[in-house]
């Protein structure tokens, strides 16, 4: 009996260690399984993060490429719209250059210069409006593209089109500052004539000899420009007379003034002046007066000269010849 009772606790004690060892083994296996699954989970998470980064990077690159694309896709460009805009601008400029000068010539003389002055302004506004209308149709307009286009244009302008762009800038300045306008009589260099047209790069002068002279706008940078009428419908004309010193100056001056006052071309609202100055060879008379219309300036000067000579001879005064002037200037 003693042996049996002593065996029972021994068996019970041996069963408890086996169950606790089993539990410990199960816990170790669970921990090892979870530990083994951690690298797989971290690798999956890392792959997902890399995929998100690559997707975001590719999206950013596509957005950047889309933003930096200067020209729209060809299928998005309406070429008929572009042709219509260019044709409309050309037609408006053509009609302006043809109809307004014709209207100015046939209209009242008081409004002639105002109508002619509107030609370059309308042309400039038309070209500017057409360009601004075409830019969003052809180009992908945004801030980045604007910087790119501005940088490229500045380089091209600086190296390839310096002289031409200088002429364009001078033309724009001439349109707004108006040192000359269509209808003005100006002296540029050795040329004196009427400004027939003002383009973007040059102006066209029609001289008294009926020559057409093309003058670039860049002349305003380094030359003086004499404008005889500056938008007015009349200008001062000067007739010169060279008379020997032995004469009655008051009588000659009065006679020349009467000649100017009785001219059919005279503008009566303007003053008539007879100026004189003594020279070594005689007296130089200048008759200064204004014609009614500046287009009659040469006929007016011719009328003053022809009738003035007759009036001076009727007084008994004699004109200076080249031989007399040369002889009188010698010591």
């Amino acid at each position: 009996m003693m042996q049996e009772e002593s065996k029972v606790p021994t068996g019970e004690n041996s069963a408890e260690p086996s169950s606790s060892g089993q539990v410990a083994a199960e816990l170790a296996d669970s921990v090892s399984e979870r530990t083994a699954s951690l690298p797989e989970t971290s690798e999956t998470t890392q792959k997902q993060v890399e995929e998100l980064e690559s997707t975001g990077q590719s999206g950013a690159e596509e957005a950047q490429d889309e933003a930096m694309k200067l020209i729209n896709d060809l299928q998005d460009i309406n070429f008929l719209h572009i042709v219509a805009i260019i044709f409309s601008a050309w037609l408006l400029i053509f009609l302006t250059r043809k109809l307004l000068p014709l209207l100015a010539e046939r209209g009242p003389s008081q409004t002639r210069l105002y109508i002619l002055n509107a030609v370059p302004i309308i042309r400039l506004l038309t070209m500017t409006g057409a360009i601004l209308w075409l830019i969003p149709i052809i180009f992908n307009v945004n801030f980045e593209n604007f910087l790119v286009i501005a940088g490229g244009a500045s380089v091209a302008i600086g190296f390839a089109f310096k002289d031409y762009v200088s002429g364009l800038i001078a033309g724009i300045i001439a349109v707004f500052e108006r040192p000359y306008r269509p209808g003005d009589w100006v002296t540029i260099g050795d040329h004196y004539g009427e400004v027939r047209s003002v383009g973007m790069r040059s102006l066209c002068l029609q001289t008294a000899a009926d020559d057409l002279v093309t003058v670039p706008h860049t002349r305003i940078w380094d030359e003086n420009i004499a404008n005889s009428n500056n938008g007015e419908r009349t200008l001062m004309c000067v007739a010169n007379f060279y008379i020997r010193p032995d004469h009655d100056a008051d009588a000659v001056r009065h006679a020349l003034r009467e000649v100017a006052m009785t001219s059919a071309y005279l503008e009566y609202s303007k003053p008539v002046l007879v100026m004189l100055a003594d020279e070594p060879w005689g007296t130089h008379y200048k008759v200064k007066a204004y014609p009614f219309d500046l287009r009659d300036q040469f006929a007016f000067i011719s009328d003053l000269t022809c009738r003035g000579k007759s009036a001076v001879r009727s007084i008994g005064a004699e004109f200076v010849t080249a031989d007399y002037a040369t002889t009188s200037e010698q010591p």
Side-chain angles (χ1 to χ4, degrees):
M1 294 294 291
M2 292 296 292
Q3 293 178 353
E4 291 178 357
E5 291 176 359
S6 62
K7 289 180 180 178
V8 172
T10 305
E12 292 175 356
N13 293 334
S14 63
E16 289 178 359
S18 64
S19 62
S20 62
Q22 185 178 0
V23 172
E26 291 177 356
L27 289 174
D29 292 339
S30 176
V31 170
S32 63
E33 289 177 359
R34 293 181 179 180
T35 306
S37 64
L38 285 176
E40 296 179 357
T41 304
S42 61
E43 290 178 359
T44 304
T45 305
Q46 186 176 1
K47 289 181 180 179
Q48 293 178 353
V49 171
E50 290 178 354
E51 290 178 358
L52 291 175
E53 289 179 353
S54 62
T55 303
Q57 185 176 2
S58 62
E61 291 177 354
E62 291 178 359
Q64 185 177 4
D65 294 339
E66 184 68 21
M68 294 301 293
K69 185 173 65 175
L70 296 179
I71 301 177
N72 294 324
D73 295 332
L74 294 179
Q75 59 268 21
D76 296 333
I77 299 177
N78 191 343
F79 291 97
L80 292 178
H81 195 187
I82 294 174
V83 173
I85 293 173
I86 295 175
F87 177 76
S88 300
W90 173 84
L91 181 62
L92 180 58
I93 293 174
F94 177 80
L95 294 177
T96 300
R97 296 182 63 181
K98 295 298 181 181
L99 296 180
L100 289 185
L102 183 63
L103 180 63
E105 294 296 331
R106 297 187 177 183
S109 59
Q110 291 82 359
T111 60
R112 173 176 175 269
L113 297 181
Y114 296 103
I115 297 175
L116 291 176
N117 292 337
V119 174
I121 297 176
I122 293 175
R123 181 169 53 194
L124 177 62
L125 294 177
T126 302
M127 294 178 62
T128 304
I131 293 173
L132 294 178
W133 200 349
L134 290 174
I135 285 177
I137 298 176
I138 301 175
F139 297 98
N140 181 21
V141 180
N142 52 45
F143 183 72
E144 291 82 1
N145 290 344
F146 173 77
L147 295 179
V148 173
I149 294 173
S154 62
V155 173
I157 289 171
F159 290 96
F161 302 101
K162 181 183 68 173
D163 295 335
Y164 186 78
V165 172
S166 178
L168 292 180
I169 295 174
I172 294 174
I173 293 175
V175 169
F176 289 100
E177 290 191 356
R178 298 193 295 180
Y180 41 72
R181 288 154 289 189
D184 286 351
W185 283 82
V186 298
T187 302
I188 303 177
D190 297 331
H191 301 290
Y192 173 72
E194 182 183 12
V195 179
R196 301 297 298 175
S197 63
V198 178
M200 293 303 299
R201 189 192 63 85
S202 61
L203 68 148
C204 185
L205 287 181
Q206 185 173 11
T207 65
D210 205 22
D211 296 329
L212 292 178
V213 181
T214 301
V215 182
H217 291 302
T218 52
R219 300 286 289 274
I220 67 176
W221 301 134
D222 51 10
E223 288 192 16
N224 295 329
I225 298 173
N227 194 324
S228 297
N229 62 307
N230 194 28
E232 299 291 334
R233 64 180 178 84
T234 186
L235 51 79
M236 178 181 288
C237 294
V238 180
N240 296 284
F241 299 91
Y242 307 95
I243 303 175
R244 292 188 179 186
D246 50 346
H247 66 276
D248 187 351
D250 289 334
V252 171
R253 187 178 183 184
H254 179 74
L256 292 177
R257 180 177 175 81
E258 288 296 324
V259 167
M261 293 297 297
T262 56
S263 176
Y265 302 99
L266 181 66
E267 170 60 60
Y268 293 97
S269 62
K270 297 290 185 177
V272 175
L273 300 176
V274 180
M275 315 296 294
L276 66 153
D278 282 334
E279 301 291 344
W281 40 261
T283 305
H284 180 197
Y285 286 85
K286 293 181 180 180
V287 180
K288 299 181 178 182
Y290 294 82
F292 181 77
D293 194 320
L294 54 81
R295 289 173 291 183
D296 297 329
Q297 57 180 297
F298 300 106
F300 184 43
I301 294 174
S302 299
D303 179 65
L304 293 178
T305 303
C306 182
R307 296 193 301 115
K309 284 187 173 182
S310 299
V312 170
R313 289 195 181 96
S314 65
I315 299 174
E318 297 181 1
F319 290 97
V320 174
T321 61
D323 296 337
Y324 178 84
T326 303
T327 304
S328 62
E329 289 180 355
Q330 294 178 356

